Amino acid sequence: MKSFIQQGLILMLLCIATKTSAQIKKAATPVKTKQIIATQSTAKSLAAELLRSNTEQACKLISNELKAIGIQIESMEEESIYDHPKSNEKPGKLLEMRTSLRCSNKMQVDVLANASDQVQGVNWYLNNISPATFTATEKILGYRKWPLISNAVTSSLYFNNNLIAEVSEMGSSESDKAKFTYAINLTKTDRFISPTITKTFNTDSLTVHSNPEETGQSVVQFLKGQGIKFLYKSLNNILTNYEGKGISTVFGYTTTYMFGEGTSVTISCNKYRKLDGINFYFTDPLVHNKIKKWFRFNNWANEGEGDEEGDIIYNNNNLQCLNNDKDKYIQFTISPFINDIHTRYQNTNPIDASALVSYYLNMEKNALKTLLTKEYVTMVSVDWASRKMTYNAAAYPHEFYFKSPSDSLSYVVYEYKLSDTYSRIIYFSTGDKAYYEKMKSDLITQAKDPKSEVIINYSDKPFEKTRMYYIMIFSKAQEAVFADNKRKKEEALLAQQQREKEAAAEKARLKAERDAKTSADIQKVGDILIQGLEQIKKKGNN
């Protein structure tokens, strides 16, 4: 993200990806509006034709025009983007189709279309090419005839009604300083109408349940009130995870609002369209400083430095903010309140085998606690009969709950009270048998690695109380200590038994000696008595 900002945050490549405006939730109550009027260009251009065609038409137009300048399409890849599926719905609703054209001369063109196959954006990537090739491409597209609305050192924005051309120079080649890398992003804007009446933007009232569209409107009004001109709003940008075989699923959405003075604001939602972030980007340090002062971060809790150089972290209830004076951004992360169990659980994702083990082995205990609180449901008690979770401030902080791929309740316990006789470090449990089988298989594979630090124990029979499958993970190092201690105890026991055996034998020997001596003494006494009796008899006879 840092390099992204350094190349010109006003570009915000996320804002130009093509998306279906039908997915954007609109405010229920109509308000009085004021139309933003932009100068239109009547000149024809390939850029405009592409954005008014379907995928097949766009690909043909691109192929024909590139051939004219000696560039050939070498391969084509297609990808379908699906909404997050609801229960038992696979793979979900089709939202977008992406077609990548890989061309000669290190060029790639991505055509983005909505579910109705109407092109929403065309992104051109020109890697290590000469300025002459770049100029030839610009002439083909024809966007230079559109009104220029923003012109920075490394980027320019051209605006034609609801069409945008965003042009970026990404720097020269390391091997050949005469060649450069460029990005040309052609996209449509949302037909956003700036409302004259809207809710006042206030971070104190922001929650994950805030309406993203209304939040965007309030941000527009807020910045306009600070004297910053609103330019346009991007279509909804879809963030995806590639699932393989040309299919991707959604993990979030972003919408970017572009303003004058090099300012932009991106509003992000998770896959359930719950608000989770508002990010302000600036190129002018004076504008950044002005907006930063308005937020009054001196009233927030200062949590110290973040990961990036210049990051300062502020917290205020359910909000976390990163302010960076060096790179000129202010980023708000919006989280559910700790007692909003339903939303926290809905936002969770299944943990995989690698993360399950590495979190415990590689993370410091307090850092892990923070991560679990952010990504999963912690501090709850569970009624297993009903699967109902209730907030419990006294709950063990390293026990966390989440949804399996089939939305089944799952949980993990990280254990730290190890001893010479107790080496279990992780307890995993889920009601999703397919998820259990996948987790078991992956963990067994990990455990077979000679470098593995864990030992796996599992049961294919559900635990009766919870009706859930479980896997127990033991520390190999702790098991080694346990085994060594067990060996030492066994050796000590054997040595003790040997000593006791030898002591018993010595005791028996001494007893035998004593008994033999006693027997000899008795025999002597008997002999003396007999001799005495015999002498007495002799005297009597005489």
Side-chain angles (χ1 to χ4, degrees):
M1 179 185 64
K2 185 175 179 180
S3 61
F4 198 68
I5 298 166
Q6 291 172 335
Q7 292 166 2
L9 290 172
I10 64 166
L11 302 179
M12 290 304 296
L13 293 178
L14 293 176
C15 80
I16 50 78
T18 63
K19 317 301 158 203
T20 57
S21 58
Q23 297 298 321
I24 300 174
K25 297 180 180 178
K26 301 297 181 180
T29 306
V31 295
K32 294 181 179 180
T33 59
K34 182 179 179 181
Q35 180 82 37
I36 293 180
I37 300 175
T39 304
Q40 298 186 33
S41 171
T42 57
K44 291 184 179 181
S45 66
L46 177 62
E49 289 186 61
L50 292 174
L51 293 172
R52 290 166 182 152
S53 61
N54 60 33
T55 301
E56 183 179 358
Q57 292 167 343
C59 290
K60 286 182 178 179
L61 285 169
I62 293 168
S63 177
N64 292 338
E65 294 295 337
L66 289 181
K67 285 179 182 177
I69 58 173
I71 297 175
Q72 304 292 325
I73 295 177
E74 297 177 340
S75 66
M76 182 174 71
E77 295 180 3
E78 294 182 328
E79 180 184 353
S80 299
I81 313 301
Y82 290 90
D83 194 1
H84 177 71
K86 299 178 182 178
S87 297
N88 301 320
E89 181 186 354
K90 294 182 179 181
K93 182 180 178 181
L94 178 65
L95 296 182
E96 182 179 88
M97 296 174 290
R98 299 178 181 176
T99 304
S100 293
L101 306 176
R102 301 187 185 279
C103 312
S104 57
N105 289 40
K106 297 181 179 180
M107 183 183 293
Q108 178 175 326
V109 185
D110 292 345
V111 179
L112 315 176
N114 62 20
S116 300
D117 196 25
Q118 296 300 305
V119 171
Q120 304 295 296
V122 183
N123 300 331
W124 299 66
Y125 304 100
L126 296 79
N127 301 302
N128 296 334
I129 65 168
S130 65
T133 302
F134 173 66
T135 301
T137 305
E138 281 199 310
K139 288 181 179 179
I140 289 173
L141 294 174
Y143 56 76
R144 285 270 185 177
K145 299 175 182 178
W146 300 358
L148 179 66
I149 61 172
S150 177
N151 189 21
V153 175
T154 58
S155 64
S156 301
L157 283 174
Y158 299 88
F159 192 25
N160 180 18
N161 195 10
N162 71 320
L163 308 181
I164 288 287
E166 187 172 28
V167 187
S168 309
E169 181 187 313
M170 316 303 285
S172 61
S173 169
E174 293 183 1
S175 59
D176 186 349
K177 297 300 182 182
K179 292 187 176 182
F180 298 82
T181 295
Y182 302 89
I184 303 172
N185 303 113
L186 310 174
T187 186
K188 296 177 181 177
T189 66
D190 182 88
R191 294 188 179 277
F192 177 79
I193 298 175
S194 182
T196 56
I197 302 175
T198 190
K199 293 181 179 179
T200 302
F201 181 65
N202 184 357
T203 57
D204 291 339
S205 61
L206 285 176
T207 73
V208 294
H209 303 292
S210 298
N211 184 294
E213 181 73 11
E214 292 179 355
T215 302
Q217 293 174 353
S218 67
V219 167
V220 170
Q221 292 299 89
F222 160 60
L223 290 181
K224 286 173 66 176
Q226 301 299 311
I228 304 173
K229 182 181 179 182
F230 172 67
L231 299 179
Y232 67 88
K233 171 193 172 187
S234 76
L235 295 177
N236 216 14
N237 179 41
I238 304 175
L239 309 178
T240 63
N241 284 321
Y242 186 66
E243 303 291 340
K245 298 181 179 180
I247 294 177
S248 295
T249 56
V250 174
F251 72 84
Y253 303 87
T254 64
T255 301
T256 297
Y257 297 80
M258 300 296 293
F259 299 84
E261 302 183 53
T263 300
S264 65
V265 180
T266 296
I267 295 178
S268 63
C269 306
N270 65 16
K271 59 188 175 185
Y272 302 106
R273 300 185 184 277
K274 294 290 187 181
L275 185 68
D276 62 12
I278 304 176
N279 301 330
F280 291 75
Y281 301 100
F282 309 89
T283 58
D284 188 332
L286 297 179
V287 176
H288 169 246
N289 190 59
K290 178 180 180 180
I291 301 303
K292 180 182 70 173
K293 286 183 176 179
W294 187 89
F295 288 122
R296 295 185 176 89
F297 292 128
N298 56 306
N299 295 330
W300 293 40
N302 188 322
E303 302 295 337
E305 297 181 355
D307 295 332
E308 298 289 344
E309 182 183 356
D311 277 353
I312 301 296
I313 304 173
Y314 299 95
N315 278 329
N316 184 22
N317 296 322
N318 64 317
L319 301 183
Q320 182 182 83
C321 178
L322 282 178
N323 176 72
N324 192 305
D325 291 340
K326 178 177 179 291
D327 291 324
K328 299 180 286 297
Y329 58 77
I330 301 171
Q331 300 177 335
F332 294 95
T333 299
I334 305 159
S335 302
F337 286 102
I338 192 69
N339 58 353
D340 186 357
I341 305 300
H342 173 77
T343 303
R344 290 173 62 201
Y345 180 68
Q346 185 188 53
N347 289 350
T348 61
N349 292 300
I351 193 169
D352 61 27
S354 177
L356 177 68
V357 176
S358 65
Y359 281 173
Y360 182 94
L361 296 178
N362 301 324
M363 292 190 69
E364 188 269 335
K365 191 175 179 180
N366 287 332
L368 178 57
K369 176 183 173 182
T370 301
L371 172 70
L372 299 180
T373 301
K374 180 180 178 181
E375 300 293 335
Y376 303 99
V377 177
T378 58
M379 313 307 289
V380 294
S381 298
V382 180
D383 177 2
W384 291 108
S386 63
R387 297 288 201 264
K388 183 179 180 181
M389 291 181 284
T390 54
Y391 179 66
N392 177 10
Y396 180 58
H398 291 91
E399 178 173 312
F400 59 99
Y401 298 79
F402 54 92
K403 295 185 304 181
S404 76
S406 65
D407 289 351
S408 177
L409 178 63
S410 307
Y411 76 98
V412 170
V413 182
Y414 286 136
E415 304 186 50
Y416 290 94
K417 295 180 180 180
L418 306 183
S419 68
D420 291 346
T421 58
Y422 191 80
S423 61
R424 191 176 80 186
I425 58 175
I426 304 171
Y427 182 88
F428 166 87
S429 186
T430 181
D432 184 340
K433 187 174 183 180
Y435 180 40
Y436 160 77
E437 293 289 352
K438 178 70 166 58
M439 180 67 74
K440 179 181 72 173
S441 175
D442 291 346
L443 288 173
I444 290 174
T445 300
Q446 284 187 29
K448 289 180 180 178
D449 187 330
K451 297 181 181 179
S452 172
E453 299 180 53
V454 297
I455 299 170
I456 309 301
N457 195 325
Y458 57 88
S459 173
D460 289 335
K461 182 179 179 181
F463 185 55
E464 185 175 348
K465 179 182 177 181
T466 60
R467 308 186 306 281
M468 298 172 74
Y469 301 92
Y470 65 89
I471 299 172
M472 294 184 291
I473 303 174
F474 299 85
S475 166
K476 187 180 289 186
Q478 196 69 20
E479 278 286 302
V481 172
F482 175 48
D484 186 53
N485 288 337
K486 183 179 179 181
R487 177 184 57 79
K488 290 178 180 179
K489 288 181 180 179
E490 289 175 348
E491 290 175 352
L493 178 60
L494 289 173
Q496 177 67 23
Q497 291 173 343
Q498 182 63 27
R499 289 192 296 269
E500 291 176 353
K501 182 179 179 180
E502 292 174 353
E506 179 64 15
K507 184 178 180 181
R509 186 186 66 78
L510 294 173
K511 183 177 182 300
E513 288 181 355
R514 288 194 300 270
D515 290 346
K517 186 175 182 301
T518 300
S519 178
D521 291 344
I522 293 172
Q523 185 65 40
K524 289 180 180 180
V525 171
D527 291 344
I528 292 171
L529 290 174
I530 292 171
Q531 291 176 2
L533 288 173
E534 288 178 349
Q535 290 177 359
I536 292 172
K537 286 181 180 180
K538 288 179 180 180
K539 289 180 179 181
N541 292 333
N542 294 330

